[in-house]
Amino acid sequence: MTDARGLVEEFNAAWERGDLDAVVGFLSEDVAYCPSAWDGPAGTVRGRDAVRTVLASQLGPGPGPALGAVWADGERAVCEWAWAPAEDGTVLRGLDVYRVRDGRIVAKDVYGKITTPD
């Protein structure tokens, strides 16, 4: 059985380095990726090449979200994340939900919300 937690932790390390090739290397050929949707219904991107194109637009210069701990059970894993506070103090935070099969990520679903300062 694949260690989903370890796999997602390695994926996250590649993400934090901004290493697109390494990030994509963790994906299955038939991966399904459903990013957060802020302007309408969320769409699912399917296939490693199509997901690579989307992720390339998300990995870029500058800081990204702070990735938190990874929890896993069997083929499923979740990871918390949060962006630095915006000028108004709000924070975009959420969870990535992963499904792993045969040592690769076969699905990544992103859930996010904007929270106000306490």
Side-chain angles (χ1 to χ4, degrees):
M1 178 176 281
T2 300
D3 176 12
R5 180 179 174 197
L7 180 70
V8 171
E9 286 173 339
E10 290 180 40
F11 174 87
N12 285 350
W15 183 274
E16 288 177 326
R17 291 190 311 272
D19 186 344
L20 181 61
D21 289 335
V23 165
V24 173
F26 289 102
L27 307 177
S28 68
E29 284 290 333
D30 62 342
V31 65
Y33 174 53
C34 188
S36 290
W38 305 108
D39 299 323
T44 301
V45 181
R46 298 184 187 280
R48 185 185 291 160
D49 291 339
V51 171
R52 178 187 185 92
T53 300
V54 173
L55 296 180
S57 70
Q58 296 175 354
L59 277 175
L67 301 175
V70 176
W71 295 274
D73 185 20
E75 295 182 332
R76 306 266 180 190
V78 297
C79 176
E80 293 178 312
W81 50 264
W83 287 86
E87 287 184 21
D88 64 0
T90 59
V91 175
L92 172 59
R93 62 188 184 94
L95 289 173
D96 289 348
V97 179
Y98 296 88
R99 193 163 39 93
V100 173
R101 181 185 68 228
D102 299 327
R104 301 271 187 230
I105 294 168
V106 297
K108 180 181 181 196
D109 207 347
V110 180
Y111 297 89
K113 63 183 174 182
I114 298 171
T115 59
T116 58
D118 293 335

